[in-house]
Each structure stands twice: as C-alpha cells, then as structure tokens.
Amino acid sequence: MNKFEYLFHEPQKNGRPKTYSKKELLGLTIVCHEREIRTCRKMEKAVKNNDESLNYILNNKKPSKSTISKFKNENELLISEFFYFAVKKGQELNLISNKVIGIDGTFLKANAGINNRTSRKEIKLLEKTIKKLNFKKILKITLKIKLRH
C-alpha cells in the first residue's frame, strides 16, 4: 500500500476532526461493491443492519449516506486506482485474465409470439429451397456488379 499512500493523505483542517478514515470508507466501498451494493442509501442500510464484517472494517462506526456520498465523490481517483491495482494483481497471480472483458447493456426487442413461430415443415422447405439455389452463381453475379461500379 506504500505505493498509493499519497492517495490516503488527509490534509489537516480546522474545526471538528474527521471520524472516518479513508481506509475505513474504502473498505466499505469495496465490500459493498463486491456485494453489488452501489448506492449510498443501500450502503448505509447495510451498515445499520449490524453486518459483522462491515462493523469490523468500520471499527463499529455507522457513517451516514451523506458521509459515504461525500467520500465517493471526493475520492474517485482513490477508488479507481484501487480497482485498477486489484485487477493488475489478479492478472499477476493468474486469478483473472484480460482476454475478454465485456460489459453490455443492450436491450433487444423480442419477436417471439405464438404467431411468429416457424414450423418444422416450413424450415425443411426453406432448407430445400436454399440447397436448390446455386449461391456460387449468385455470388459471381454480385461480384461482377460491384466491379462495374
């Protein structure tokens, strides 16, 4: 962690001292992220449910949603650097690979109603029609047309 110590530096401020360290709130963020808890309100709720692991990480403190939100907004670099570090360490230890990382949120409109089904007879008829067509001939014609233009 010495490599990232500059990210944990907390400047001295006048007034009431902080009661939560960055390490505690980063631990809360990591555990909640692993449990797929992303919002500050749900994180606060998880803390108030007396979860033993969160109590241990936070030293039995109970941060409010505004404290959690303020930490997440002010320390985006710390959080992103930690997750980058975790992925790199996992790759070094061959726990994860970087061959395919994909996130997709695509919504596709389905068209699979009862009236839209194709029967086996129709499929066989389509297969016979496809076999009868000489695709090589169609391909040659298509290529000739493209070469002319």
Side-chain angles (χ1 to χ4, degrees), residues 14 16 22-23 43 49 51 60 66-67 74 84-85 94 105 108 122 125 129 131-132 135 148-149:
N14 295 333
R16 200 165 91 188
K22 288 185 179 183
K23 291 179 182 179
M43 290 170 87
N49 284 339
D51 185 340
N60 291 320
S66 59
T67 303
E74 291 177 355
Y84 178 77
F85 171 77
N94 291 325
L108 301 174
E122 291 172 320
L125 178 64
T129 307
K131 286 178 183 177
K132 285 181 183 176
F135 282 105
R148 289 182 194 164
H149 296 284

Side-chain angles (χ1 to χ4, degrees), residues 83-101:
F83 283 107
Y84 178 77
F85 171 77
V87 168
K88 283 293 182 191
K89 198 56 138 171
Q91 288 173 343
E92 287 174 14
L93 299 172
N94 291 325
L95 298 174
I96 58 175
S97 74
N98 61 347
K99 291 182 181 173
V100 176
I101 297 176

Side-chain angles (χ1 to χ4, degrees), residues 70-83:
K70 185 177 177 184
F71 169 77
K72 287 174 76 175
N73 289 332
E74 291 177 355
N75 296 288
E76 289 179 22
L77 178 63
L78 171 65
I79 295 166
S80 64
E81 281 293 318
F82 174 80
F83 283 107

Side-chain angles (χ1 to χ4, degrees), residues 3 7-9 15 25 30 37 50 56 72 82 95 103 117 120 122 125 132 136:
K3 184 176 171 183
L7 293 170
F8 288 98
H9 176 70
L25 293 172
I30 293 163
I37 300 171
N50 280 330
Y56 178 76
K72 287 174 76 175
F82 174 80
L95 298 174
I103 300 171
R117 291 186 295 179
R120 287 191 172 118
E122 291 172 320
L125 178 64
K132 285 181 183 176
K136 289 182 182 178

